[in-house]
Amino acid sequence: MKRYIATFVLACFLFCTQVTAEELHKYNALIEHSRDAVVVVAAEVEEGRGGYGSGFLISADGYLITNYHVVHRSTIIRVWFYDEEDPKHYKADLVAFDPVADLALLKLNVREDMLPLTHLKIEGNLDRIQVGDEVIAIGHLLGLHWTVTRGHISHVDRRARHSVYVKTIQHTAPINRGNSGGPLINTEGHVIGVNTWVLIPKGQGQTVGVGYAVRGDVLYKSIKALMQDGERVRPSMGIMFSHLSEFSIKRLTKENPGVFFPNTFGIVASGVEEDSWAYKQGIRSHDVVVAVDGNPVNGLSDLVDYVMHLPVGQAVSLLVIREGVFTKVDYELKKLEFDLAYYDERLEQEENTEDTPEPEPEDE
């Protein structure tokens, strides 16, 4: 009996070892395939000054994706592929960009027969991006070209660092400067995100396993719009909102004596000037929005998640509390405008500060 048991255990061991070897071979092949589509992106802002990041090929005719902040204000963009026998670079053109999602679409300025055959597929189905899934980041962190790191998805619904409109994936694959614009892929080799920033707490001086990537479904919609229309159009209400909570109400009441804030749910409008879009649509400063088209608004994310899927020009019905009275406001959505001067200022601030956790943005 012992001999039979030993034989069975040995057979199981050999079978498991064989499966592991096959999986390892598949894993290595996946990385080889993906790496061939990943590039170094070097952007020259002015002579002798610029930066670099990562990017990846998404089509056989030379379209590339990277972060917009990698190529912002660039005059010359150069791209290198993984090819030890041919280290020369290629020039790329900035075709279109979506600074809200920190994405840029590039086109290689070369003949198609000179391009590698490998390109990556974007996974635009959110149902196939799950917490706990294994992920692989490929990029050029800290100048170490074509570096591969592994991790898992920690969260799939984080707000982007500076935009309430964009969702990101939080993951544990180590990323650093230089990974920006590089792909976050799953075990099928599909791009489920674009690495865009990493959390480094003040005083820590190093990453703590908290990286963020623009989520695959956001990426898919943005790139599709950029390729078809040359821009990504989003709706906006053009209002500065603040969250309501036990603590914020104390602050707001102190700052605005005589104004009644009735509850700790909803969002409060502020800074509404008479010549603003919001004022013309019927919103006043200190209005508390508690519902949109009959859907409750407990926080800013409830409103944004609802309106971000609507077309520009569509009207929504807002239920607001104004001076203790419920009021209905029919509000037309405008086009979201992006201020590149603000982008310049933001990048300059980030170059001089460490990454720190931030509260959810309040500008809608």
Side-chain angles (χ1 to χ4, degrees):
M1 175 64 70
K2 291 182 179 179
R3 185 178 66 183
Y4 289 122
I5 293 175
T7 302
F8 176 75
V9 171
L10 178 61
C12 289
F13 173 78
L14 292 174
F15 175 76
C16 292
T17 303
Q18 181 180 5
V19 170
T20 302
E22 290 176 355
E23 290 179 346
L24 182 60
H25 176 74
K26 180 181 178 181
Y27 183 82
N28 290 338
L30 180 151
I31 292 176
E32 288 283 334
H33 172 84
S34 302
R35 184 183 61 185
D36 288 342
V38 178
V39 301
V40 178
V41 178
E44 187 175 305
V45 179
E46 56 188 40
E47 189 173 352
R49 180 174 173 269
Y52 75 95
S54 306
F56 56 96
L57 199 65
I58 60 167
S59 69
D61 54 352
Y63 281 97
L64 293 161
I65 294 174
T66 188
N67 278 150
Y68 176 64
H69 76 255
V70 172
V71 296
H72 175 63
R73 301 291 191 191
S74 60
T75 55
I76 300 175
I77 303 173
R78 295 183 176 88
V79 167
W80 285 261
F81 281 91
Y82 180 80
D83 190 343
E84 295 177 347
E85 298 179 358
D86 183 14
K88 66 175 178 288
H89 68 266
Y90 302 92
K91 286 189 176 182
D93 299 319
L94 177 59
V95 176
F97 54 89
D98 178 7
V100 175
D102 195 16
L103 296 171
L105 179 66
L106 311 180
K107 179 71 164 60
L108 285 177
N109 199 354
V110 296
R111 298 196 316 268
E112 290 185 16
D113 60 354
M114 297 174 63
L115 296 173
L117 298 178
T118 302
H119 58 274
L120 300 181
K121 176 185 175 182
I122 300 172
E123 178 55 74
N125 185 352
L126 182 57
D127 292 336
R128 296 178 63 85
I129 304 174
Q130 300 291 329
V131 172
D133 286 354
E134 183 179 355
V135 291
I136 302 163
I138 304 178
H140 312 291
L141 70 164
L142 303 176
L144 302 174
H145 294 167
W146 286 281
T147 299
V148 177
T149 55
R150 293 172 56 185
H152 293 84
I153 295 176
S154 306
H155 203 287
V156 298
D157 201 34
R158 296 294 191 205
R159 293 286 176 186
R161 191 179 186 189
H162 296 286
S163 175
V164 296
Y165 287 88
V166 177
K167 297 295 184 69
T168 64
I169 296 170
Q170 178 188 328
H171 64 88
T172 61
I175 58 174
N176 287 274
R177 289 183 180 272
N179 274 112
S180 292
L184 186 72
I185 63 176
N186 60 17
T187 53
E188 296 178 353
H190 296 163
V191 178
I192 62 169
V194 176
N195 290 309
T196 185
W197 73 283
V198 62
L199 178 64
I200 304 178
K202 281 186 176 179
Q204 191 73 23
Q206 60 184 0
T207 61
V208 290
V210 183
Y212 294 88
V214 179
R215 207 170 65 189
D217 59 320
V218 176
L219 169 63
Y220 181 85
K221 292 176 183 177
S222 178
I223 296 303
K224 183 178 179 181
L226 293 182
M227 295 189 75
Q228 290 182 350
D229 307 320
E231 65 174 335
R232 175 70 167 98
V233 176
R234 292 181 174 86
S236 171
M237 297 188 68
I239 308 175
M240 183 71 76
F241 283 116
S242 297
H243 295 286
L244 282 179
S245 67
E246 179 182 350
F247 302 103
S248 67
I249 282 182
K250 290 181 180 179
R251 174 178 58 81
L252 288 167
T253 301
K254 184 177 181 180
E255 294 174 352
N256 304 277
V259 177
F260 174 62
F261 296 98
N263 45 262
T264 57
F265 64 91
I267 52 179
V268 59
S270 60
V272 180
E273 305 291 340
E274 289 192 14
D275 60 345
S276 68
W277 176 270
Y279 192 93
K280 294 174 182 177
Q281 296 298 311
I283 290 292
R284 303 293 182 261
S285 287
H286 308 132
D287 279 357
V288 177
V289 178
V290 295
V292 53
D293 286 345
N295 301 289
V297 173
N298 294 308
L300 181 59
S301 60
D302 293 328
L303 179 62
V304 173
D305 287 348
Y306 182 81
V307 304
M308 68 186 297
H309 302 292
L310 302 177
V312 173
Q314 181 164 327
V316 294
S317 177
L318 301 178
L319 182 63
V320 306
I321 301 176
R322 180 182 301 163
E323 298 179 354
V325 178
F326 284 99
T327 303
K328 179 183 175 183
V329 176
D330 291 326
Y331 197 100
E332 182 180 331
L333 302 177
K334 62 178 294 189
K335 179 181 177 181
L336 177 65
E337 303 292 346
F338 193 86
D339 186 359
L340 287 181
Y342 163 76
Y343 201 91
D344 290 329
E345 182 180 329
R346 194 184 83 189
L347 289 181
E348 184 177 351
Q349 290 175 349
E350 291 182 359
E351 288 178 358
N352 300 319
T353 59
E354 291 180 299
D355 294 324
T356 56
E358 296 183 353
E360 187 172 281
E362 298 183 344
D363 187 4
E364 209 287 313

